[in-house]
Amino acid sequence: MADTNDMVIRIRGLDNRFGEQVVHENLDLEVRRGEILGVVGGSGTGKSVLMRSILGLRRPDAGRIEVMGVDARSEDEDDRNQIERNTGVLFQDGALFSSLSVGENVQVPLKEQHPELPDTLRYELALLKVKLAGLPADAVNKLPSQLSGGMRKRAGLARALALDPPLLFLDEPTAGLDPIGAAAFDELILTLQRALGLTVFLITHDLDTLYTICDRVAVLADKRVLVNAPIEDVERFDHPWVQAYFHGPRGRAAREAGAGTMA
């Protein structure tokens, strides 16, 4: 069993409801320091709702959430700031401010957390993060509308890395990308995770991503986390959705491709 001190995220008894609809009921989850955790589940299982609950963007109906030892449901401003400083988020399609350049988008968290920094230093830091996300230097002055979908995702990733957070949340990072672009983005995430020692909470439906870069996979179904384990253990889990998802044609292809990558 892993040392509890290595648990970056710990969730116990989480409930999320929207009126009569129960999305999560008595959900438990743990995320270990330094791992890439893939979170999967069918439509309506509340993957994004879970992420928003952890980030404090949604207040759950019940349960306890700790992020790096801090109560994520706390109303204390210092607690909220500590979580915000130590987490970076890449929402779907980057969620960039359309009227700001890429560099200005990356500078938003820096301005919020470090208003004392001079403009020139903020610009240099933004340029560094843009390059770190695999974008060319000239992308820093472009508007999001001037970028391809894949480049917008990388720009969103640069913003998520602006404060050098140890914990990174990625919501469907490869959705909408062609296979080559998706594989390149997976490789980028893995390289950054290893180089920076990141813990990554990754929502995805991409089987190739699960097989190539995730240390463990958490499956959401029946309003809870069914299993949270290495993918070879998840494959054996006796549940109809798990068996259909991991043992269908795409699952078999991704497994074979992943085995080839690791060979």
Side-chain angles (χ1 to χ4, degrees), residues 16 41 116 125 151 156 250:
N16 272 305
E116 75 284 357
L125 288 171
M151 293 178 74
R250 292 185 177 182

Side-chain angles (χ1 to χ4, degrees), residues 15-165:
D15 289 0
N16 272 305
R17 303 185 188 92
F18 295 89
E20 296 297 316
Q21 181 186 7
V22 179
V23 179
H24 302 136
E25 187 172 41
N26 201 29
L27 181 150
D28 295 341
L29 178 66
E30 292 180 340
V31 182
R32 298 171 184 167
R33 189 180 310 279
E35 76 172 344
I36 299 179
L37 177 73
V39 179
V40 300
S43 178
T45 54
K47 299 180 291 295
S48 294
V49 172
L50 175 59
M51 185 184 82
R52 292 175 64 85
S53 298
I54 297 169
L55 291 167
L57 300 175
R58 168 179 167 78
R59 189 164 183 83
D61 295 279
R64 181 168 180 80
I65 303 172
E66 291 183 5
V67 180
M68 292 172 290
V70 176
D71 181 4
R73 301 184 65 182
S74 173
E75 299 290 345
D76 184 83
E77 186 174 346
D78 289 340
D79 288 343
R80 296 301 320 149
N81 283 337
Q82 183 173 338
I83 292 176
E84 289 176 9
R85 284 195 306 269
N86 287 287
T87 55
V89 187
L90 172 60
F91 294 102
Q92 291 187 37
D93 199 36
L96 300 166
F97 296 108
S98 60
S99 61
L100 300 181
S101 70
V102 169
E104 290 168 336
N105 267 281
V106 177
Q107 289 180 60
V108 169
L110 293 168
K111 288 182 178 179
E112 291 176 348
Q113 293 293 335
H114 300 289
E116 75 284 357
L117 292 178
D119 292 344
T120 53
L121 180 55
R122 274 201 301 266
Y123 179 87
E124 290 300 322
L125 288 171
L127 179 59
L128 175 64
K129 302 305 179 184
V130 165
K131 292 179 178 178
L132 194 63
L135 289 170
D138 62 1
V140 75
N141 296 317
K142 292 184 177 181
L143 292 171
S145 60
Q146 296 175 294
L147 304 178
S148 67
M151 293 178 74
R152 281 196 300 273
K153 287 180 183 289
R154 288 175 183 257
L157 180 60
R159 186 177 62 185
L161 295 170
L163 298 174
D164 296 317

Side-chain angles (χ1 to χ4, degrees), residues 187 212 256-263:
E187 185 61 32
T212 55
E256 291 170 5
T261 300
M262 294 181 287

